[in-house]
């Protein structure tokens, strides 16, 4: 479902802007996390699939929009410092992404043990623990990301102005530009 969401998010971004699209896509993912709470039903793992399209808006929005926003940050960094450091900024972004994935994978077994999950005998306490970990904690993270993004002040107009100033400074035109 993430592959289906990516073109939707890209179209939203062109129409609404990156910041608004990020906030909307992450808000839609909260619906998926809420659904996870109700769809964790022992013996019925297929119910979990109903939440995935909503969850995919969060993942699709994140990976589609963040790279574009990173490019804007690289332009502003060059404008302010005179140095082009997209390799470093991109490396930091992907290192943090990979670290987060690895850390989540590392914690998965610990979480299962902490909530007392045993596949042979699933208790209501274990299910509540799983629901908290897979619903409440991600929602808190998404709300934090939205709060941080709310303060993001790089609009498309500002990015275009910075890009034009950089092109003028370099004496070049962007070959990808259709303007």
């Amino acid at each position: 479902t993430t592959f289906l969401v990516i073109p939707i998010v890209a179209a939203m971004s062109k129409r609404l802007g990156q910041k608004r699209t990020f906030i909307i896509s992450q808000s839609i993912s909260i619906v998926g996390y809420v659904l996870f709470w109700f769809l964790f039903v022992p013996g019925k793992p297929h119910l979990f699939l109903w939440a995935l399209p909503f969850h995919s808006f969060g993942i699709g929005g994140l990976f589609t929009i963040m790279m574009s926003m990173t490019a804007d940050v690289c332009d502003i960094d060059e404008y302010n410092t005179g140095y082009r450091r997209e390799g470093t900024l991109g490396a930091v972004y992907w290192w943090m992404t990979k670290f987060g994935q690895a850390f989540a994978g590392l914690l998965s077994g610990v979480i299962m043990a902490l909530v007392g999950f045993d596949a042979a005998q699933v208790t209501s306490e274990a299910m509540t623990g799983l629901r908290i970990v897979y619903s409440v904690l991600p929602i808190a993270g998404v709300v934090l990301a939205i709060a941080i993004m709310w303060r993001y002040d790089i609009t498309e107009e500002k990015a275009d102005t910075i890009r034009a100033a950089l092109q003028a400074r370099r004496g070049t035109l962007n070959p990808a530009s259709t303007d």
Side-chain angles (χ1 to χ4, degrees):
T1 56
T2 302
F3 286 120
L4 298 174
V5 164
I6 289 172
I8 295 168
V9 168
M12 287 172 58
S13 180
K14 287 179 183 173
R15 175 175 267 174
L16 303 173
Q18 295 172 339
K19 177 180 173 178
R20 286 181 62 199
T21 300
F22 179 84
I23 291 170
I24 290 167
S25 66
Q26 297 310 305
S27 298
I28 292 170
S29 78
I30 290 174
V31 173
Y33 290 121
V34 169
L35 286 174
F36 284 165
W37 183 277
F38 299 103
L39 299 176
F40 276 144
V41 178
K44 297 182 182 180
H46 62 281
L47 291 177
F48 184 82
L49 298 174
W50 289 101
L52 291 182
F54 300 100
H55 177 263
S56 293
F57 266 92
I59 299 298
L62 177 72
F63 288 116
T64 302
I65 296 172
M66 280 295 114
M67 292 314 297
S68 178
M69 291 177 138
T70 301
D72 294 341
V73 169
C74 291
D75 285 346
I76 289 174
D77 181 56
E78 179 184 1
Y79 182 79
N80 291 332
T81 67
Y83 296 105
R84 193 75 192 168
R85 300 185 284 201
E86 64 265 81
T88 301
L89 294 170
V92 169
Y93 170 80
W94 282 109
W95 186 87
M96 293 299 292
T97 300
K98 299 294 183 182
F99 176 79
Q101 291 172 335
F103 190 66
L106 175 71
L107 288 181
S108 63
V110 173
I111 290 167
M112 295 296 222
L114 286 175
V115 301
F117 182 80
D118 179 3
Q121 183 176 355
V122 180
T123 64
S124 63
E125 292 83 14
M127 288 307 299
T128 300
L130 286 175
R131 287 179 175 124
I132 290 169
V133 170
Y134 287 101
S135 292
V136 176
L137 289 180
I139 289 170
V142 169
V143 168
L144 177 63
I146 289 171
I148 290 169
M149 188 56 67
W150 208 271
R151 296 185 51 134
Y152 183 79
D153 68 345
I154 303 173
T155 63
E156 281 68 20
E157 295 80 18
K158 182 176 181 178
D160 290 343
T161 301
I162 295 289
R163 198 170 301 108
L166 288 173
Q167 290 170 353
R169 184 187 292 172
R170 292 185 212 122
T172 61
L173 292 176
N174 183 356
S177 177
T178 58
D179 296 336

